[in-house]
């Protein structure tokens, strides 16, 4: 099982250095960029979540965080403990893609503050031409910590295909 996880990570990384399909980069988010620090580093825990469908979450309390973590890790035995988050200082934004047919999919969150709105852009990366992927279902999720804010969060999505050939 460990060997398969390592192989999956290597295959997914194969597309990581490729250029975006079409060569166009995304326009920057409106507003002042906000530092979004990953709560969970990229790896098996972020590609095999329990989320079957897309999900966007704004988590502002320890209770909400524990509930989210329990849903994300459902079915794992033993379930890993949730990483520590200081909710007096920070909050968590999470974006799940839902089930994807192969490896090679990824998700990232960018954040900017625009007036009284926190803008969170979710970028889904998909494997394109020439990408070698594991032939297993995946369910990628990105979880980031940002400075605590009572601002409304406005989500937007974009899709990027990475060619590896």
């Amino acid at each position: 099982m460990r060997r398969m996880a390592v192989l999956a990570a290597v295959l997914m990384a194969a597309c990581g250095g490729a250029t975006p399909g079409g060569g166009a980069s995304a326009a920057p988010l409106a507003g002042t960029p906000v530092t979004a620090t990953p709560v969970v580093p990229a790896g098996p825990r972020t590609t095999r979540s329990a989320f079957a469908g897309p999900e966007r979450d704004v988590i502002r309390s320890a209770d909400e965080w524990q509930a989210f973590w329990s849903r994300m890790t459902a079915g794992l035995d033993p379930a890993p403990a949730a990483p520590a988050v200081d909710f007096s200082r920070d909050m968590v934004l999470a974006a799940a893609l839902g089930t994807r047919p192969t490896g090679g999919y990824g998700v990232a969150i960018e954040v900017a503050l625009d007036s009284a709105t926190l803008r969170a852009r979710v970028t889904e990366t998909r494997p394109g031409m020439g990408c070698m992927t594991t032939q297993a279902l995946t369910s990628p999720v990105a979880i980031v910590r940002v400075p605590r804010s009572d601002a409304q969060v406005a989500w937007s999505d974009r899709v990027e295909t990475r060619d590896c050939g």
Side-chain angles (χ1 to χ4, degrees), residues 15-40:
C15 289
T19 57
S25 62
L29 281 172
T32 305
V34 172
T35 301
T37 306
V39 174
V40 179

Side-chain angles (χ1 to χ4, degrees):
M1 186 61 134
R2 176 173 261 240
R3 187 176 289 166
M4 289 181 64
V6 170
L7 178 59
V10 169
L11 290 174
M12 289 185 338
C15 289
T19 57
S25 62
L29 281 172
T32 305
V34 172
T35 301
T37 306
V39 174
V40 179
R45 213 180 285 163
T46 59
T47 58
R48 295 189 333 225
S49 73
F51 298 116
E55 187 162 327
R56 305 294 181 262
D57 291 286
V58 178
I59 303 161
R60 290 188 167 101
S61 73
D63 288 342
E64 291 173 349
W65 177 231
Q66 287 302 321
F68 170 85
W69 191 260
S70 292
R71 286 191 347 258
M72 187 185 96
T73 59
L76 295 179
D77 188 24
V85 176
D86 180 353
F87 285 99
S88 67
R89 251 185 5 181
D90 297 322
M91 63 187 214
V92 172
L93 303 178
L97 297 182
T99 304
R100 296 296 183 255
T102 67
Y105 288 82
V107 60
I109 303 172
E110 299 171 79
V111 184
L113 183 61
D114 182 19
S115 289
T117 303
L118 202 57
R119 302 203 176 278
R121 178 168 51 201
V122 176
T123 300
E124 173 184 352
T125 54
R126 296 177 176 174
M129 295 295 293
C131 291
M132 292 178 52
T133 62
T134 182
Q135 298 302 297
L137 297 176
T138 58
S139 48
V141 62
I143 307 167
V144 298
R145 172 189 345 249
V146 297
R148 185 169 182 79
S149 171
D150 291 327
Q152 176 183 351
V153 177
W155 296 92
S156 63
D157 295 325
R158 70 185 272 266
V159 174
E160 181 179 283
T161 300
R162 295 189 179 267
D163 292 332
C164 301

